[in-house]
Amino acid sequence: MRLVLILFFTKIAGDISVRLGQPSVLGKLIIGIILGPAVLGWLNNNEFIHYFSEIGVLLLMFIAGLETDLEQLKKNWKSAFAVAVLGILLPFLGGFGVGELFGLSMEYSLFIGVLLSATSVSITVQVLKDMNKLNSREGSTILGAAVVDEVLVVIILAVMLSFLGTGEEISLGLLIGKKLIFFLVAILAGWLVVPRILSWLSKLKVTEPTMSIALVICFGYVYFADLLGMAGIIGAFAAGIAISLTPHKHVIESKIEPIAYAVFVPVFFVSIGLNVSFSGVGNQVGFIIILSLVAILTKLIGGALGARLTGFSGNSSLMIGSGMVSRGEVALIIAATGLQEALLLPKYFTSIVIVIIVTTLVAPPLLKYFIQLESKSPSKNK
């Protein structure tokens, strides 16, 4: 019954959102809040929804990798790095400042800074696809910056846990070494192994061998990424890029999208809204409003500044900055880690989750607005 409700209402909500001039994903996120504990209480974020949503976000990022123009990504690596660094620095300072403003201790304030530094582009990918901007110079920069952001934020978090957390000490050298191993193996496998596996096994006399092998490669990359401390979405994205370099790209792309968008991706969008609950936050409204504004503005300005300094026009820079605003599932994972390691006060956890959801809800219409602005600009980048 849960799946019936999700699939039906996400399509209705997505259609209404488009008719109102907004990205369809916004309606799907909002319907999650309405169906969840915050409003109607028809759905809860249980184990079934958790696993379906995990598959959904992995498939979404796998499709993003399949559709990525690797040459465009290579050309914009300097911009991606600048966007990521300034998109971490400003939110970190902003989050720390809000913590200090509300009288939190230094370690709690530092953790909020790390939390705001995170970026999740899974929602952004959907908007970019809807607006045919995924393969644009701006889209490639956003995707590249998200990968760099993921690596840097994980390292910063590990340093914090090592010095301030309650867990065992973490070796920074080992942590960085694992990241390097992941990228090295992912690149070599994409170059030497993936094309051969697809070529050999796609000839098997069974139903849909090419699609099955593509999913094996995708989830294999995800497992390897998780094993080395990377987010699974980075592994899925890397697998998509590896397969995009093979002759099987278009066949896999045409067949994976119906599977992803018919079942798994809608569950992922709804699951984000299910995390919202308004219980116990009555005394923290000011904290939520201020932190939400800081979270949105610092990421927008930081990302835009990084893009502007590396040659993008003003409108394109704002488009890139807005594409980095969503914190999504990455920040939710960091928040849960902070709670476990006593770096986040339990009474602030719900408020932090609401702030993360706010950034995720604001990102799609904000990105769409700046895409339209950039498209109308006479100084549009060629």
Side-chain angles (χ1 to χ4, degrees):
M1 189 60 192
R2 295 184 186 95
L3 196 55
V4 171
L5 288 172
I6 291 170
L7 296 183
F8 178 74
F9 282 109
T10 51
K11 296 305 174 187
I12 299 298
D15 180 73
I16 292 171
S17 186
V18 171
R19 290 176 188 274
L20 294 174
Q22 297 300 322
S24 64
V25 66
L26 182 63
K28 295 169 185 176
L29 292 170
I30 292 173
I31 203 65
I33 297 173
I34 294 171
L35 295 176
V39 183
L40 296 176
W42 291 358
L43 294 173
N44 290 298
N45 211 345
N46 59 15
E47 192 174 34
F48 165 80
I49 290 176
H50 170 72
Y51 286 120
F52 262 61
S53 67
E54 283 288 299
I55 295 171
V57 69
L58 293 175
L59 292 180
L60 187 61
M61 293 307 294
F62 178 58
I63 292 168
L66 279 171
E67 296 184 358
T68 296
D69 184 338
L70 196 57
E71 288 304 312
Q72 188 79 270
L73 200 60
K74 287 177 185 174
K75 277 193 276 186
N76 295 307
W77 73 268
K78 289 181 181 177
S79 296
F81 190 80
V83 168
V85 170
L86 288 172
I88 287 173
L89 183 60
L90 266 65
F92 181 83
L93 294 173
F96 178 78
V98 171
E100 292 291 297
L101 178 67
F102 282 86
L104 301 181
S105 66
M106 180 174 286
E107 57 263 36
Y108 294 141
S109 298
L110 285 170
F111 180 76
I112 291 175
V114 173
L115 189 71
L116 294 198
S117 301
T119 287
S120 174
V121 293
S122 49
I123 303 297
T124 298
V125 162
Q126 184 62 57
V127 180
L128 290 171
K129 276 175 62 63
D130 291 345
M131 304 289 288
N132 294 315
K133 285 288 185 178
L134 192 60
N135 276 330
S136 66
R137 187 183 173 206
E138 294 85 359
S140 296
T141 300
I142 290 169
L143 288 169
V147 174
V148 177
D149 185 289
E150 148 77 14
V151 174
L152 294 179
V153 168
V154 167
I155 291 172
I156 294 168
L157 179 62
V159 172
M160 274 201 67
L161 292 176
S162 179
F163 286 103
L164 303 174
T166 58
E168 55 189 52
E169 191 173 341
I170 297 168
S171 167
L172 186 59
L174 180 63
L175 189 78
I176 295 173
K178 284 182 175 181
K179 310 300 174 200
L180 292 174
I181 290 171
F182 169 77
F183 286 112
L184 181 63
V185 172
I187 291 167
L188 287 175
W191 176 36
L192 300 172
V193 181
V194 170
R196 288 174 172 80
I197 287 178
L198 276 170
S199 179
W200 295 337
L201 299 182
S202 62
K203 297 172 184 174
L204 293 174
K205 303 299 181 182
V206 293
T207 307
E208 298 292 351
T210 305
M211 266 305 303
S212 298
I213 300 309
L215 289 173
V216 168
I217 292 167
C218 172
F219 294 128
Y221 265 73
V222 169
Y223 175 75
F224 185 61
D226 186 64
L227 200 64
L228 294 180
M230 296 288 292
I233 56 174
I234 301 299
F237 181 65
I241 289 178
I243 292 176
S244 75
L245 301 175
T246 72
H248 302 277
K249 170 187 173 177
H250 297 296
V251 172
I252 293 167
E253 191 179 331
S254 65
K255 292 185 176 181
I256 193 70
E257 288 196 355
I259 297 171
Y261 289 108
V263 182
F264 295 104
V265 173
V267 179
F268 163 63
F269 291 142
V270 166
S271 71
I272 293 175
L274 297 183
N275 287 296
V276 176
S277 172
F278 299 118
S279 59
V281 298
N283 297 325
Q284 297 178 14
V285 173
F287 175 79
I288 293 170
I289 292 172
I290 292 173
L291 191 60
S292 295
L293 288 172
V294 168
I296 294 164
L297 292 174
T298 54
K299 204 64 155 172
L300 174 64
I301 295 168
L305 188 58
R308 190 73 173 127
L309 290 173
T310 51
F312 282 89
S313 69
N315 289 333
S316 289
S317 298
L318 289 168
M319 173 185 158
I320 291 167
S322 64
M324 303 295 288
V325 165
S326 173
R327 303 317 199 274
E329 74 286 348
V330 175
L332 290 172
I333 292 168
I334 292 174
T337 302
L339 188 66
Q340 182 182 343
E341 297 290 335
L343 289 173
L344 177 63
L345 290 170
K347 70 175 183 177
Y348 283 107
F349 182 73
T350 301
S351 298
I352 290 292
V353 169
I354 291 172
V355 171
I356 294 168
I357 301 296
V358 167
T359 66
T360 306
L361 289 171
V362 165
L366 193 66
L367 178 57
K368 182 178 180 181
Y369 171 77
F370 285 121
I371 287 175
Q372 291 173 335
L373 201 65
E374 183 266 346
S375 298
K376 294 173 185 175
S377 172
S379 60
K380 179 182 174 183
N381 286 292
K382 302 294 182 187

